[in-house]
Amino acid sequence: MRRNQDKPLATRAPASPFCRVSDRLKSSWRKSRRAALLAMLVGATTVSSVGCSVFDRIKDGPHDTKASYHDDFAMRIEYPEVQQCATAPSEAAKQATEPLALEDPSKIPSLELTLEQAIQLAVQQSPVLRSIGGTVVSNPQGTTTTFDPALAHANPLTGTEAALSAFDAQFSQQLFWSNADQPQNILAGSVNAQFTPRALQEDYATYIAELSKQTAQGASFALRHNINYNDSNRPNRAFRSDFVGFLEAEYRQPLLQGSGTTFNRIAGPNSGIGQYNGVLIARVNEDVALADFEAAVISLVADVEQAYWDLSVGYRVLEANVKGRDAALQTFQYQQVRLEAGAGRSDEEAQAQSQYYQFRAQVEAALGGPDGLYTREQRLRYLIGLPASDGRLLKPTTTPTDVRVVFDWESALGQALTRRVEVRRQRFNLKRREMELTAARLNRRPRLDFLGQYRFRGLGDHLIGGSDKEQFDNLYGSITDGNYQEWQAGVEMQLPVGLRAASAAVAHANLNLRRERAVLAETELRVSHDLSDSARQIMLTHQLLETNYNRYLADQRQVDVLRRRYRDGTDNINFLLQAQRQVVTSEAEFYTSLTNYNLAIRDFHRQKGSLLAYNQVQLSEGQWAPGAYQDAYETGRHLTPRRNPSDVHIPSPLTSGPFDPSAPQMQTFMNAPATDAMLESSPQPTAEPTPAPTEN
């Protein structure tokens, strides 16, 4: 029999006279896990070659010498067969062309795109909310989609509909047939022998139907109907076969534990100690799922704006390096001419050539490097759902903001502590803990139920029909006559002495409540700190924008002066080469600071909870199915308003009303030109930075 013939020699265990049983068991296990446990086989063979293990004490069995059918199929890697619909993302994945690397961007057709269009494409292209990191491949279960709020609502265990199903009417029925053929231990010739058959032969049939309903107050109603059929050869029976049954109504009302709408709406009817699966808890779960979805949308919008401005500055950085490369090439060519004419030096010619290749390498890195133009362009393409490459080059056309922003700190702080989705999500968690503590306290009581039953009994030779002239002719006639009625009323009590489990549930709920309150306070503190940091970044980045702009102007003037002095022969080439490097660096940092300033404004809106409104993104429920509109219309016709709402006790509301995270807010920003006081520290004559050009 084939054992380890198909295994590499490096994984075979050397034969050992002391470990035969162990080798057989390990060989059988290796065969069924050939692919998954290959790395562990090396260690196993080392142990086998040194000594024996616990497997040596296990006797050989028939299963050790027979190969299993599953040995060759259990761990075989196969390809799944699934049904996949053609969608925009799947088509975009198949339509990707060869990626761009070092092509000249000026020779590639451009696709102009505004920031508003990019955000609109990102939120409408796919039900999956993308991220820059692309975690959908490594962590698909943790990816947020537009289906998540609906999944929370439709969850059969924790959703709202699942919680409401506990109050649905329940109908159950049972129907069984059976037969008995039992010999009797009766002495022949005795007195009982003439009244009892030697073999008892009976046919049975049982039918049970029940309709029950649970109410929000904890009460339960039930209507039962039982029918028993018996066909027997027993003597002294008026009918050989008969139908016996009853119609019963039951009412059970908890008086202490499990009573009241408050407890049943939070914990659900008939819930155990520490179990909270009521309608209100399910509603909070849905609100938390909506908050998570909103946070994912905010993250998507922030990522799109980040990628958009990164691509915009990528064009500017590439343009600055191209200018530096061309200037270095001109200097190198000029130095070559001087060297050929005998007026130059070879070391200066080598320095100019080295700087040219340095700028050329920077251009190539700014074009196709890990943080180059094509990489940034592809990152934006992924976020908006376009193919990785399609022969066109995305080109941002939105002009970045370069004017100073003034904001109202008190208003912004108040909005951040109110509108931030993280704060609202934590408030929902706190609300859930408050309701759980209320339910736990209501559940720390003995079980005392009032029970009432009323029953109509009947007996009949037939189930239904008959002559109706004889007594007990049919079962339903006997029941409807109402001659045989029974009732029962009383209370049932169950008291766990000490109520230890219920008291532990109260303590646990109280600790959870205190924890969520502490987390909410810490969340608000963190939000205020984050908002303060973002406000500081706005002021800092705008000041750096002005400083880098003045630096860029100064470096340009320095290059012009040193170029003239170098060509006049009054200065060394080293100063010109250094100035050329500085002007490229200052230009790149100026556009980088311009992008950082716009991202700082984005971060401030994000920390303030107004990013969706800032980017004009609205969240709304999708269209219903046509049948849902018809059901809502038919149900709404039967609903009438309360005539006297003050006479009806209504539980306290769960929320304070609807909240729209994308609604317009109080104006907290004003665009204002930079004042002279802000520029007093600048050593150079200052000028207002102009908007970045949109052409490459």
Side-chain angles (χ1 to χ4, degrees):
M1 180 171 294
R2 192 164 56 91
R3 281 292 183 186
N4 291 332
Q5 302 299 326
D6 56 343
K7 288 183 171 58
L9 294 177
T11 63
R12 296 181 187 174
S16 174
F18 304 102
C19 303
R20 296 176 181 175
V21 178
S22 174
D23 293 341
R24 280 194 289 269
L25 288 175
K26 293 176 181 176
S27 176
S28 177
W29 289 358
R30 292 192 190 103
K31 191 169 184 61
S32 63
R33 294 167 173 82
R34 184 182 304 116
L37 304 180
L38 183 58
M40 298 178 61
L41 291 177
V42 179
T45 55
T46 304
V47 175
S48 298
S49 62
V50 176
C52 303
S53 63
V54 71
F55 295 107
D56 302 330
R57 297 191 292 270
I58 303 177
K59 295 183 179 181
D60 196 359
H63 58 279
D64 295 321
T65 58
K66 294 182 180 180
S68 172
Y69 168 80
H70 299 281
D71 286 349
D72 297 328
F73 294 93
M75 300 300 294
R76 184 173 66 180
I77 300 177
E78 299 181 355
Y79 202 83
E81 182 68 23
V82 297
Q83 295 181 356
Q84 183 177 3
C85 301
T87 59
S90 63
E91 294 299 322
K94 300 174 184 177
Q95 295 172 0
T97 60
E98 186 177 356
L100 302 174
L102 296 174
E103 289 79 358
D104 188 356
S106 62
K107 299 180 180 179
I108 302 175
S110 62
L111 176 60
E112 295 185 350
L113 190 69
T114 64
L115 178 59
E116 182 181 356
Q117 292 173 344
I119 294 177
Q120 183 178 5
L121 288 174
V123 299
Q124 292 180 354
Q125 280 291 326
S126 173
V128 177
L129 302 185
R130 304 182 181 95
S131 61
I132 292 181
T135 57
V136 65
V137 177
S138 59
N139 186 22
Q141 298 299 325
T143 302
T144 304
T145 67
T146 58
F147 302 104
D148 292 353
L151 287 172
H153 177 78
N155 192 308
L157 299 178
T158 60
T160 304
E161 294 297 329
L164 289 173
S165 65
F167 302 99
D168 293 343
Q170 303 291 329
F171 177 74
S172 63
Q173 59 180 356
Q174 301 174 359
L175 181 61
F176 294 100
W177 289 272
S178 61
N179 174 265
D181 191 1
Q182 304 175 1
Q184 303 293 316
N185 185 12
I186 302 299
L187 180 63
S190 64
V191 177
N192 295 331
Q194 51 184 323
F195 298 104
T196 304
R198 296 298 303 270
L200 179 62
Q201 298 177 346
E202 292 182 323
D203 293 328
Y204 300 96
T206 301
Y207 174 76
I208 302 175
E210 179 178 351
L211 179 64
S212 59
K213 178 69 170 68
Q214 187 79 35
T215 67
Q217 290 79 15
S220 61
F221 298 90
L223 184 63
R224 302 186 187 93
H225 182 33
N226 287 30
I227 301 177
N228 296 315
Y229 169 77
N230 179 238
D231 184 0
S232 175
N233 62 351
R234 292 177 182 272
N236 301 324
R237 289 168 55 91
F239 319 111
R240 176 178 175 84
S241 63
D242 58 20
F243 293 89
V244 179
F246 61 86
L247 183 63
E248 179 184 76
E250 179 181 293
Y251 169 68
R252 179 183 291 270
Q253 174 63 60
L255 301 178
L256 295 178
Q257 186 185 92
S259 64
T261 57
T262 301
F263 175 83
N264 286 276
R265 293 174 73 211
I266 297 175
N270 303 317
S271 60
I273 301 296
Q275 297 179 356
Y276 313 103
N277 299 315
V279 178
L280 296 183
I281 297 296
R283 163 68 188 281
V284 170
N285 293 337
E286 291 185 10
D287 289 327
V288 170
L290 286 173
D292 292 336
F293 175 75
E294 180 186 342
V297 174
I298 293 174
S299 178
L300 172 62
V301 173
D303 287 347
V304 172
E305 192 166 353
Q306 176 81 42
Y308 187 88
W309 293 124
D310 284 348
L311 178 59
S312 178
V313 74
Y315 276 102
R316 304 307 170 195
V317 172
L318 176 62
E319 182 181 0
N321 284 280
V322 169
K323 291 179 182 179
R325 181 198 62 184
D326 296 342
L329 179 60
Q330 292 177 1
T331 304
F332 170 58
Q333 293 174 347
Y334 180 77
Q335 186 64 26
Q336 280 184 325
V337 174
R338 291 187 60 186
L339 184 63
E340 293 174 357
R345 293 164 42 185
S346 60
D347 60 332
E348 293 182 348
E349 187 265 347
Q351 290 178 2
Q353 184 181 18
S354 175
Q355 178 151 307
Y356 163 71
Y357 284 113
Q358 178 183 355
F359 278 118
R360 182 175 175 178
Q362 292 180 6
V363 170
E364 294 171 352
L367 193 62
D371 199 27
L373 176 66
Y374 292 141
T375 302
R376 299 184 181 192
E377 193 259 356
Q378 183 176 341
R379 188 181 302 135
L380 180 59
R381 278 179 168 271
Y382 170 70
L383 291 177
I384 64 179
L386 295 182
S389 56
D390 57 1
R392 299 177 299 175
L393 197 61
L394 296 182
K395 191 172 185 180
T397 59
T398 299
T399 303
T401 301
D402 61 351
V403 294
R404 185 167 56 90
V405 172
V406 180
F407 57 88
D408 184 2
W409 170 254
E410 298 295 336
S411 175
L413 180 60
Q415 292 182 25
L417 297 178
T418 304
R419 302 184 65 90
R420 277 289 294 271
V421 62
E422 294 82 1
V423 174
R424 285 188 283 111
R425 186 184 189 277
Q426 186 57 31
R427 287 182 180 274
F428 275 116
N429 290 332
L430 178 59
K431 184 65 176 179
R432 176 169 51 192
R433 298 307 185 188
E434 290 177 350
M435 293 188 297
E436 289 178 356
L437 179 59
T438 301
R441 288 174 175 173
L442 292 175
N443 213 25
R444 192 173 56 180
R445 296 182 295 182
R447 185 79 183 190
L448 180 63
D449 295 352
F450 170 79
L451 177 64
Q453 293 179 342
Y454 203 91
R455 185 181 301 118
F456 290 83
R457 284 193 176 274
L459 171 66
D461 185 17
H462 302 85
L463 177 64
I464 191 172
S467 62
D468 290 337
K469 296 181 179 179
E470 299 180 1
Q471 188 180 15
F472 307 125
D473 178 72
N474 63 84
L475 173 63
Y476 283 105
S478 177
I479 291 178
T480 56
D481 287 342
N483 295 327
Y484 305 96
Q485 302 181 21
E486 302 174 347
W487 62 270
Q488 180 184 8
V491 292
E492 294 180 354
M493 182 176 180
Q494 182 181 4
L495 174 61
V497 179
L499 298 173
R500 181 179 298 181
S503 300
V506 172
H508 184 264
N510 194 11
L511 290 174
N512 277 331
L513 176 60
R514 293 185 179 183
R515 179 189 181 278
E516 298 302 334
R517 284 177 177 170
V519 172
L520 176 59
E522 190 67 23
T523 301
E524 293 177 343
L525 178 62
R526 186 66 219 180
V527 165
S528 65
H529 278 263
D530 293 341
L531 184 66
S532 178
D533 290 340
S534 61
R536 183 184 303 106
Q537 289 301 314
I538 288 181
M539 294 182 287
L540 173 63
T541 53
H542 186 267
Q543 185 62 44
L544 290 176
L545 172 63
E546 294 179 345
T547 303
N548 288 327
Y549 178 74
N550 293 327
R551 173 190 172 188
Y552 175 46
L553 295 180
D555 288 340
Q556 281 183 330
R557 292 194 303 269
Q558 182 184 13
V559 169
D560 295 338
V561 172
L562 292 178
R563 183 184 295 111
R564 288 194 302 267
R565 296 182 62 178
Y566 165 70
R567 294 192 176 186
D568 294 340
T570 60
D571 212 340
N572 195 298
I573 193 176
N574 292 329
F575 296 105
L576 177 60
L577 297 180
Q578 182 180 1
Q580 289 177 346
R581 292 193 296 269
Q582 288 180 355
V583 73
V584 172
T585 302
S586 61
E587 183 178 1
E589 291 186 358
F590 164 67
Y591 286 112
T592 301
S593 60
L594 180 61
T595 297
N596 292 337
Y597 179 61
N598 285 266
L599 292 177
I601 297 176
R602 176 211 64 177
D603 292 339
F604 189 84
H605 278 285
R606 184 174 184 177
Q607 300 300 333
K608 190 167 66 72
S610 59
L611 184 63
L612 297 183
Y614 176 67
N615 289 280
Q616 300 180 3
V617 176
Q618 296 183 355
L619 301 180
S620 61
E621 186 178 2
Q623 293 292 326
W624 291 0
Y629 288 102
Q630 182 64 24
D631 293 342
Y633 170 73
E634 294 178 355
T635 304
R637 291 184 305 168
H638 304 285
L639 300 178
T640 57
R642 300 180 186 272
R643 298 302 179 185
N644 298 311
S646 60
D647 297 338
V648 181
H649 173 70
I650 300 178
S652 58
L654 184 63
T655 62
S656 58
F659 177 82
D660 186 5
S662 58
Q665 305 173 66
M666 182 188 303
Q667 182 68 23
T668 59
F669 293 106
M670 294 182 296
N671 292 335
T675 60
D676 295 336
M678 295 180 59
L679 307 179
E680 289 177 355
S681 60
S682 178
Q684 298 288 342
T686 60
E688 288 297 321
T690 57
T694 58
E695 295 296 327
N696 189 11

